[in-house]
Amino acid sequence: MSSSKHSKELRRLALSVLQPGFVGTEAPDWVLRDIGDGLSSVVLFARNIVSTEQIARLTDQLRAENPELIVAIDEEAGDVTRIESATGATRPGNFALGTVDDPELTASVAHDLGRQLRAAGVSLDYAPSVDVNSNPDNPIIGVRSFGAEAALVSRHATAWIRGLQSAGVAACAKHFPGHGDVAVDSHHGLPSYDADLDEIAAQALPPFRAAVEAGVGAIMSGHLLVPAHDPHLPATLSPRILHDLLRKELGFDGLIVTDAIEMGAVADRYGIGGAAVKAVAAGADAVCVGGENAEESTVALLTDALTDATARGELTEERLAEAADHVRAFATWSRQLGLNVPVDPVHGDIGFVAARRALRTHGPVDDTLPLTAPPHVVELVPSTNLAIGEETPWGVAAPLRERLPGTTFVRVPHHQLATRPTALANHALAPAAGRPLVVVVRDAARHAWMGRALADLTAARPDAVVVEMGLPSDSLPGAVRIFTHGATAASGVAAAEVLAHGRPGRAA
């Protein structure tokens, strides 16, 4: 083979293992060119999405270049949503489903999501998160997990995968080997999971074993250090974890895809090019990129990094070709998975049914609810991690105002309390004088400022109703406490129904 022909083939192999994002609701020319040159996958984010019909047009445009193109999306439902980022998810997330603990309900919700994705032309969903959220202070997983027990997470991982894949869309269990017991957000730094081998095997790995047994199409690696398995390299870059543990010990033969390679946990140490090379060399088949770095230059940088590393011997051509073969096999399998299911974009209200079943109340509910007058609602707003879109609305005030006209509300972020000490008195307590007060929080136990503000509000108004839309806490104050187990639009509606009518399921 001539040198130029060999270089072209190497570039084609390198392109085939990338899963890049891009900007726009139509495919840029550079993406179409790269597909023609060997790019086998793309990933969609909220910035690419207006409606299911628009996504379908976009995926048709992309697949005109390659009918077996893998179109991925980072759609967990729940708090992490791309297809409903502008409105909030109409399906509750994993923690709400784990709270109900009805695997058939979980499968139904995932199937409903799968039908919508299938109609849009999506073939791979980077979900579900099967991390066991054993650390309640975890800044990145939280309500994205089905729960804190390995057995519960395992049975719902199985159900979610079965439901999604029965709708013709491949699932992707994440974040291997388990991101649930860390205290650092891997978008910004390198978390460490410091358990020993026995604890990891008992706590973190069972949901991944269950996912493999359920026939999951893909598994996403996590950017975390697991010293018991590899004291030097993050899981995404570790042959001991990707090859020895996932391939050999767990017997997974599907697609291994990285978490976003531009995340600080790996990119800050190796650069995105260096991290991509190390990931593929370690056993990853596909490199996800583009949540933040979505330019043509990023794909060119990664393509050059992979081909240059092959020329230097840092990455063997055999490993690159093996990764490309896995991508090709997955593309064929996932396309067949979709062809076996008729396109049916209609979805029902299973998400709202699930959100209502997940809602829990504590305190003298019958004496307090339904509210006897339109309340003032105070929503304490934390900063969210990068997995959750800043644009995604959440809360209780909007759906409650539909059910109780005259409801007023204020949203209070941390920075406002820090710069305006009188904000609570002026904007929360004064407007609530002589009327019910509802305080909405999100992971109050994880945010000291929120806990203090909530304590001040309930001290001034012991009759306040408190709605927690994150992880519940036994120490939450309030006359009546409502736990939604997630901050989706569906969860907000369920809480509003209880506040307005005394029980969920009542129409506006």
Side-chain angles (χ1 to χ4, degrees), residues 270-347:
Y270 307 100
I272 63 171
V277 168
K278 287 183 176 296
V280 176
D285 304 312
V287 177
C288 170
V289 68
E292 299 170 72
N293 299 63
E295 303 80 19
E296 179 181 8
S297 59
T298 299
V299 176
L301 185 157
L302 294 183
T303 304
D304 290 345
L306 290 167
T307 55
D308 291 348
T310 305
R312 294 192 306 270
E314 185 180 344
L315 171 64
T316 68
E317 191 170 338
E318 290 76 17
R319 169 79 271 269
L320 184 59
E322 178 186 57
D325 286 343
H326 286 155
V327 172
R328 190 177 305 111
F330 177 86
T332 301
W333 174 81
S334 61
R335 183 168 186 253
Q336 191 59 47
L337 188 71
L339 290 175
N340 288 336
V341 178
V343 174
D344 178 11
V346 178
H347 67 276

Side-chain angles (χ1 to χ4, degrees), residues 197-462:
L197 290 175
D198 289 343
E199 186 177 348
I200 293 168
Q203 179 191 65
L205 293 183
F208 290 99
R209 292 187 186 277
V212 172
E213 291 172 7
V216 72
I219 289 180
M220 177 178 282
S221 63
H223 300 329
L224 70 159
L225 199 66
V226 189
H229 283 283
D230 190 330
H232 305 296
L233 292 169
T236 295
L237 316 182
S238 171
R240 296 183 191 177
I241 292 175
L242 297 189
H243 182 268
D244 298 352
L245 181 59
L246 181 52
R247 287 287 189 214
K248 295 300 183 183
E249 185 176 328
L250 268 66
F252 179 62
D253 60 3
L255 187 77
I256 299 177
V257 59
T258 73
D259 205 347
I261 208 69
E262 67 262 52
M263 288 167 62
V266 292
D268 287 353
R269 286 161 176 76
Y270 307 100
I272 63 171
V277 168
K278 287 183 176 296
V280 176
D285 304 312
V287 177
C288 170
V289 68
E292 299 170 72
N293 299 63
E295 303 80 19
E296 179 181 8
S297 59
T298 299
V299 176
L301 185 157
L302 294 183
T303 304
D304 290 345
L306 290 167
T307 55
D308 291 348
T310 305
R312 294 192 306 270
E314 185 180 344
L315 171 64
T316 68
E317 191 170 338
E318 290 76 17
R319 169 79 271 269
L320 184 59
E322 178 186 57
D325 286 343
H326 286 155
V327 172
R328 190 177 305 111
F330 177 86
T332 301
W333 174 81
S334 61
R335 183 168 186 253
Q336 191 59 47
L337 188 71
L339 290 175
N340 288 336
V341 178
V343 174
D344 178 11
V346 178
H347 67 276
D349 65 350
I350 186 67
F352 290 96
V353 170
R356 290 168 184 139
R357 289 184 61 186
L359 190 138
R360 301 289 185 270
T361 57
H362 295 271
V365 177
D366 292 341
D367 297 336
T368 308
L369 301 178
L371 298 174
T372 56
H376 184 57
V377 180
V378 180
E379 297 179 339
L380 300 177
V381 182
S383 297
T384 55
N385 62 65
L386 288 177
I388 299 171
E390 286 187 2
E391 74 282 357
T392 304
W394 66 276
V396 173
L400 184 57
R401 190 165 48 176
E402 294 176 8
R403 289 156 179 80
L404 285 179
T407 295
T408 57
F409 74 97
V410 63
R411 291 175 69 81
V412 183
H414 181 209
H415 67 82
Q416 188 177 83
L417 287 184
T419 57
R420 300 178 188 173
T422 60
L424 287 183
N426 294 340
H427 302 294
L429 293 172
R435 350 170 16 196
L437 174 65
V438 176
V439 185
V440 183
V441 294
R442 189 171 182 179
D443 292 322
R446 281 196 54 244
H447 301 284
W449 72 268
M450 189 181 295
R452 290 192 298 270
L454 180 59
D456 289 344
L457 289 170
T458 53
R461 286 289 302 267

